[in-house]
Amino acid sequence: MYQEEYKRWLEADLVDPDLGKELRDIEGDDEAVKERFAVALQFGTAGLRGTLGAGTNRMNIWVVRQATQGVADWVKTQGGTQTVAISYDSRLKGWTFAKDAAGVLAANGINVRIYDSLMPVPALSFATRYYKCNAGIMVTASHNPAQYNGYKAYGPDGCQMTDDAAAVVYDSIQRTDVLTGAKYMSFAEGVEKGLIRFVGDDCKEALYEAIESRQVRPGLAKTAGLKLVYSPLNGTGLEPVTRVLRDIGITDVTIVPEQEYPNGYFTTCSYPNPEIFAALEKGLELAKEVGADLMLATDPDADRVGIAMKCPDGSYELVTGNEMGVLLLDYICAGRTQKGTMPKDPVAVMSLVSTPLADAVAENYGVELRHVLTGFKWIGDQIAQLEAAGEVDRFIFGFEESYGYLAGPYVRDKDAVVASMLICEMAAYYRSIGSSIKEHLDELYAKYGRYFNKTDSFEFPGLSGMDKMAGIMADLRSEPPKELAGRKVAAVIDYSKPEETGLPKANVLLYKLEDGSSVIVRPSGTEPKIKAYYTTKGRDLAEAQAAKDALAEGVAPIFA
């Protein structure tokens, strides 16, 4: 079956010469053919993601066209403006895929609003809402290595597509022949017919206004003398982040030169993920050189941001996603309370795998902190519920431990641009009162207890990887462990049972241990890996970390 599909591709006019060469190069190599054609990339709620190349199990113009035909079929049933917004980041083939998606939509009689240069996830979410679109498409593979690209689909509210809509799209994709099934017209023809138009300056400026309106202490950053090193990691953050920082008065910004401009090969960091040290290394070297107060890095599609903060002894320390989530929550609550801008009955939202330290901070300020499933769309869903009730102003902040933050309801996905602005404003504020982010974080730990959160990933590569992961999750459900690393399991919460959790069904298990620690087990929806999230607490970091290490040692055999 897969050999027949391979031959069909080999004989077709594939337009992209890279694909033809790759197909000829693997002729006679059954394993290579099987790997590319035995399965098709799955269209899930996050859309598509895979390595670039030829075949149904790769990211290429044909798979993009097929997916877009599925989106077009769904849009045509939705009424409304019959419009789709498109953006793309610095990934290889990004503009090609964005143009091809536009061509498929136009051939289906659907209007397109596409950015004329690469722009981040929040800009796509904003444009989808601004133009009252039926859907949005973001061509990105987020923080994956250079050989990947992907395709995220968004609903009319600018939030990632719901499970129900994605299921309809996937059904349509399966009925669309990958090489011949999608309608298509050239980008030029779409423009000529008035179906494809660029996103206007009015939309771009409205986004910057919306972001800057989320300042907590407007004007403060102008006078604080903050010194910043910033890296867009060769992605989309350069223009929007520096523009917003300049607007709020932060002008002493040194850009990491090797990572300044778009480069889909990510030559200076093979894994452009601000969660990991290697991605921040160049920035840290530069921060030490210029004596920066803060070093900041956004991932290629600028929806996540990682930082390193300067410590009193002059060294730099990385801040985890959980720590930054808590710092921002505390800063927003304290600042808005002080300024009298805190709404009545404020609401913050975090993913259930994020730190319980945030619960303590929220309680201190009388903020309702809602817990949702992993994935920022669930935070977006909470904003949508508040909006439907006419109470959208109650939403002050949302975050997840994987370095995603949002302050304000103007978009429905994580936004590294607003997060960068608030992190810098926060650093400027603490600097202005003779403190620092590091010192304030220590104060929070002294007040609420020393929490320690760590995530371990277990990879299951190859075609059988997903089956192995499913087997592990099935075993954990059929025979739940009574203890983990010698600690008694006090409670098990299975998020596949909505009737018990009150949340949508999810393949997640939470183990609460008698000593107050917890372990959450969750398979990734986009990659062949299972993640274990540990939370421990101690009198100091050493004690909390030792508890985590003992716990991880006891849990590891489950994934062997």
Side-chain angles (χ1 to χ4, degrees), residues 35-168:
E35 223 262 304
R36 286 162 177 78
F37 290 96
V39 293
L41 280 184
Q42 286 271 343
F43 187 95
T45 46
L48 299 165
R49 192 179 298 181
T51 49
L52 291 158
T56 53
N57 193 29
R58 291 284 187 272
M59 282 297 297
N60 52 65
I61 57 171
W62 300 100
V63 167
V64 167
R65 288 182 188 183
Q66 181 191 37
T68 309
Q69 185 61 51
V71 171
D73 291 343
W74 177 76
V75 167
K76 286 189 278 192
T77 67
Q78 296 302 297
T81 61
Q82 292 293 288
T83 304
V84 176
I86 300 178
S87 187
Y88 55 98
D89 68 11
S90 58
R91 298 241 155 218
L92 303 175
K93 310 271 185 193
W95 171 237
T96 303
F97 292 168
K99 273 196 312 183
D100 268 47
V104 171
L105 293 163
N108 280 275
I110 293 166
N111 300 297
V112 174
R113 282 286 190 164
I114 187 168
Y115 278 98
D116 56 1
S117 62
L118 71 177
M119 281 293 272
V121 157
L124 183 273
S125 179
F126 189 83
T128 303
R129 294 174 62 77
Y130 187 86
Y131 291 114
K132 297 182 170 52
C133 296
N134 297 83
I137 292 166
M138 178 76 200
V139 178
T140 178
S142 191
H143 53 274
N144 281 70
Q147 65 269 31
Y148 282 80
N149 208 333
Y151 178 110
K152 283 186 190 173
Y154 287 75
D157 59 350
C159 199
Q160 281 190 36
M161 198 171 259
T162 63
D163 292 353
D164 292 346
V168 174

Side-chain angles (χ1 to χ4, degrees), residues 458 460 472-473 475-476 481 483-484 511 519 521 530 552-560:
F458 301 88
F460 299 87
I472 288 167
M473 295 304 287
D475 291 347
L476 285 170
E483 61 166 45
L484 292 169
Y511 300 96
V519 182
V521 178
I530 292 180
E553 205 174 308
V555 169
I558 293 170
F559 306 109

Side-chain angles (χ1 to χ4, degrees), residues 284 287-288 292-293 308-318 438:
L284 279 167
K288 285 170 190 160
D293 299 296
M309 57 188 173
K310 192 178 191 179
C311 301
D313 66 358
S315 66
Y316 290 84
E317 190 179 304
L318 301 192
K438 167 68 175 164

Side-chain angles (χ1 to χ4, degrees), residues 356-418:
L357 176 54
D359 293 284
V361 170
E363 193 183 338
N364 181 56
Y365 291 103
V367 170
E368 179 193 346
L369 181 60
R370 298 180 181 178
H371 294 218
V372 294
L373 298 175
T374 311
F376 221 87
K377 67 176 179 177
W378 299 114
I379 295 175
D381 179 56
Q382 289 295 321
I383 305 172
Q385 287 179 37
L386 289 167
E387 190 171 48
E391 301 175 344
V392 77
D393 290 342
R394 288 175 62 196
F395 174 74
I396 58 166
F397 185 60
F399 84 97
E400 54 185 14
E401 47 68 52
S402 54
Y403 296 63
Y405 319 99
L406 175 63
Y410 58 94
V411 295
R412 298 296 154 86
D413 208 337
K414 45 194 179 278
D415 179 4
V417 185
V418 80

Side-chain angles (χ1 to χ4, degrees), residues 241-310:
V241 171
T242 55
R243 156 75 192 262
V244 167
L245 293 183
R246 190 168 63 245
D247 285 354
I248 69 160
I250 293 175
T251 52
D252 192 349
V253 182
T254 307
I255 312 288
V256 178
E258 307 94 323
Q259 298 173 341
E260 183 169 4
Y261 297 112
N263 174 1
Y265 292 99
F266 306 112
T267 41
T268 59
C269 59
S270 58
Y271 201 55
N273 180 356
E275 293 180 60
I276 61 170
F277 176 75
L280 306 186
E281 215 165 354
K282 290 269 179 210
L284 279 167
E285 286 168 15
L286 191 56
K288 285 170 190 160
E289 207 177 294
V290 302
D293 299 296
L294 196 62
M295 187 263 146
L296 208 96
T298 52
D299 68 344
D301 58 348
D303 62 355
R304 299 169 194 243
V305 57
I307 79 150
M309 57 188 173
K310 192 178 191 179

